[in-house]
Amino acid sequence: MADRQPAAPTHRAYSVIKREGQDDYWLNLGLAFPHKDGNGFNIILQALPIDGKIVCREITEEDAAEESPAQTRREQQPRGGQGTRRR
């Protein structure tokens, strides 16, 4: 039987998009959860990068503080179904 993932991810996965004349854009692709033995990760992606390159960075306290209130509210709302749409 497979072990469950830890409750909290330790890394975020990004695609770094180069832009001329502007700072690079770091697109959040997903999260990485460490294996119980500490020798690897399970990476859960919501998207794939066009160039095939994924950058994983450790989640810091600053990263957690930067999470917007709108994103937090979105995560708490039910997903899917007609009840979540406005016409």
Side-chain angles (χ1 to χ4, degrees):
M1 179 175 261
D3 290 333
R4 292 175 19 127
Q5 292 181 20
T10 58
H11 293 72
R12 289 193 185 179
Y14 297 94
S15 175
V16 181
I17 301 168
K18 305 284 184 190
R19 302 185 299 177
E20 278 190 46
Q22 299 179 32
D23 291 339
D24 295 344
Y25 182 77
W26 287 61
L27 179 64
N28 187 1
L29 299 176
L31 299 168
F33 296 82
H35 290 174
K36 190 175 182 178
D37 64 6
N39 290 325
F41 295 91
N42 287 337
I43 301 174
I44 309 300
L45 300 175
Q46 297 176 336
L48 296 174
I50 294 173
D51 64 2
K53 182 178 177 181
I54 297 173
V55 178
C56 289
R57 300 281 298 181
E58 190 172 5
I59 297 173
T60 64
E61 290 181 17
E62 290 177 14
D63 293 335
E66 287 178 4
E67 187 173 296
S68 70
Q71 184 176 4
T72 304
R73 282 194 304 272
R74 229 182 7 250
E75 291 171 356
Q76 292 172 351
Q77 292 178 352
R79 295 184 180 220
Q82 295 290 331
T84 60
R85 293 186 183 171
R86 291 188 176 186
R87 294 178 190 230

